[in-house]
């Protein structure tokens, strides 16, 4: 008997039939004697539909009102799943985030969970019921509805598992676990039995949306046993672990991640004097635009070029912010490109092995792919390339680092 938090994503609850199938699966776990807290997302496509409605009303929807709309998607699925469970004689009750006191800060559309009061949930569990909770939402200290950013139901599940000291947090989704690359892009991608928190954090922050980055952060911080599994197939799934598992030596590179929707701005001919980087980036951060990579070129002629990347959705806004503050920064010219993507190789094995970067660059060169920007950390190397080469780059790197092959025994 265990206390399990199980989260089912949008595709897994995308139709009435699927919700019924999920209810059967939950009922089987319940019959084994487990206590169950189930977190669900909105039906697939629903959050996009709701966001689109808000954008039809207002170009830049009021964040507070947008959250009121977005949070309704999950409210529908919790009720439907609780009904389905009750129908298969598995007592259950649905709750919104606010009803189970998931308290967040007031950063609408991207709020952070601050605390969870588990009293109501424990009472329900004690009464023998499955507790079905809406993911992706909470309330701030004034009772305003907030949402946690796209993919936020993962974070709801992990936060609940941490607060309840659950035995495991199981993230059920439309693929069999965490793979060596997005299995929808690389057919030969392999499921990993386990992956370290460090690697998973890098992957999530580099664009692999299989887990929301904050969910991984939370799980690492509060020592939550976390796994990713297939909603409908009885396969092993992937365990997220503190250390590399077992005798197996992990390949140098354990996965390829990518972020398709990037854009870059090149601010040209700015004076090469102290404070320039901050003068360029201050108006950008004031406009709430997140900057990803930053490169300042070597000065030539007492002026320099300053390049940075942002999410493609923020490209136009960033261009106009720089345009508006050009006098203040001393900008001569700004160039932009919103047809770029970022591809990264990730692996804790990289720490101890030389030659990984050169192998990556050589592989891309042989495929005729030009690298525009490079950035590295201890366990990842990222490059910016033209978007049209994205799939080619991901697949070529996947095979160059032999990720489609089985792992080898250490020393073998
Ligand atoms: P859910 O709706 O269940 O939260 P998501 O769409 O958010 O599901 O996340 C699952 C998707 O993540 C998969 O369908 C897959 O295309 C994508 N993905 C990207 N990178 C990976 C990876 N390395 N391993 C597994 N899935 C990945
Ligand atoms: N429904 C939200 C989204 O589509 C949250 C989630 O699915 O995790 O982003
Ligand atoms: Mg998701």
């Amino acid at each position: 008997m265990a206390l399990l938090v199980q989260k089912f994503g949008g595709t897994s609850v995308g139709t009435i039939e699927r919700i019924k199938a999920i209810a059967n699966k939950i009922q089987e776990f319940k019959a084994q004697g487990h206590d169950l807290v189930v977190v669900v997302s909105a039906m697939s496509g629903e959050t996009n539909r709701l966001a689109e409605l808000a954008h039809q009303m207002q170009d830049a929807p009021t964040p507070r009102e947008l959250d009121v709309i977005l949070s309704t998607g999950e409210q529908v699925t919790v009720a439907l799943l609780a009904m389905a469970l009750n129908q298969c004689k598995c007592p259950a009750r649905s709750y919104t985030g606010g009803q189970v006191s998931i308290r967040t800060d007031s950063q609408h559309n991207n709020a952070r969970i601050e605390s969870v009061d588990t009293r109501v949930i424990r009472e329900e569990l004690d009464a023998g019921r499955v507790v079905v909770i809406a993911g992706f939402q909470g309330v701030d200290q004034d009772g305003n509805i907030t949402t946690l950013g796209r993919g936020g139901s993962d974070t709801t599940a992990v936060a609940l598992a941490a607060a309840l000291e659950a035995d495991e947090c199981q993230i059920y989704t439309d693929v069999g676990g965490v793979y060596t690359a997005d299995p929808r892009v690389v057919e030969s991608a392999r499921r990993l039995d386990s992956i370290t928190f460090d690697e998973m954090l890098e992957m999530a922050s580099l664009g692999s949306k299989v887990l929301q980055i904050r969910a991984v952060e939370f799980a690492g911080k509060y020592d939550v046993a976390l796994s990713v599994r297939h909603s409908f197939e009885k396969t092993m799934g992937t365990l997220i672990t503190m250390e590399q598992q077992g005798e197996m030596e992990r390949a140098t590179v354990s996965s390829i991640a990518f972020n398709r929707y990037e854009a870059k701005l090149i601010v040209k001919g700015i004076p090469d004097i102290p404070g320039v980087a901050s003068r360029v980036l201050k108006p950008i951060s004031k406009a709430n635009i997140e900057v990803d990579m930053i490169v300042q070129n070597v000065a030539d002629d007492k002026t320099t070029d300053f390049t940075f990347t942002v999410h493609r959705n923020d490209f136009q806004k960033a261009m106009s912010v720089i345009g508006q503050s050009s006098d203040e920064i001393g900008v001569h010219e700004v160039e932009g490109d919103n047809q770029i993507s970022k591809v990264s190789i990730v692996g804790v094995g990289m720490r101890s092995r030389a030659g990984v970067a050169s192998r990556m660059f050589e592989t891309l060169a042989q495929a005729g792919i030009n690298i525009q920007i490079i950035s590295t950390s201890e366990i990842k190397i990222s490059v910016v390339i033209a978007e049209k080469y994205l799939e080619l780059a991901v697949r070529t790197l996947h095979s160059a680092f032999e990720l489609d092959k089985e792992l080898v025994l250490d020393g073998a």
Side-chain angles (χ1 to χ4, degrees), residues 56 82 111 115 192 206-207 229 241 275 362 383:
Q56 280 176 30
S115 65
L192 298 163
L206 295 169
R229 294 154 191 262
T241 54
E362 206 177 295
V383 295

Side-chain angles (χ1 to χ4, degrees), residues 7 151 154 209:
K7 178 253 171 180
D154 297 336
K209 68 168 184 168

Side-chain angles (χ1 to χ4, degrees), residues 7 9-10 41 150-154 171 173 209-212:
K7 178 253 171 180
S41 295
R150 298 307 301 264
S153 299
D154 297 336
I171 306 288
T173 185
K209 68 168 184 168
V210 60
L211 283 176
Q212 200 198 34

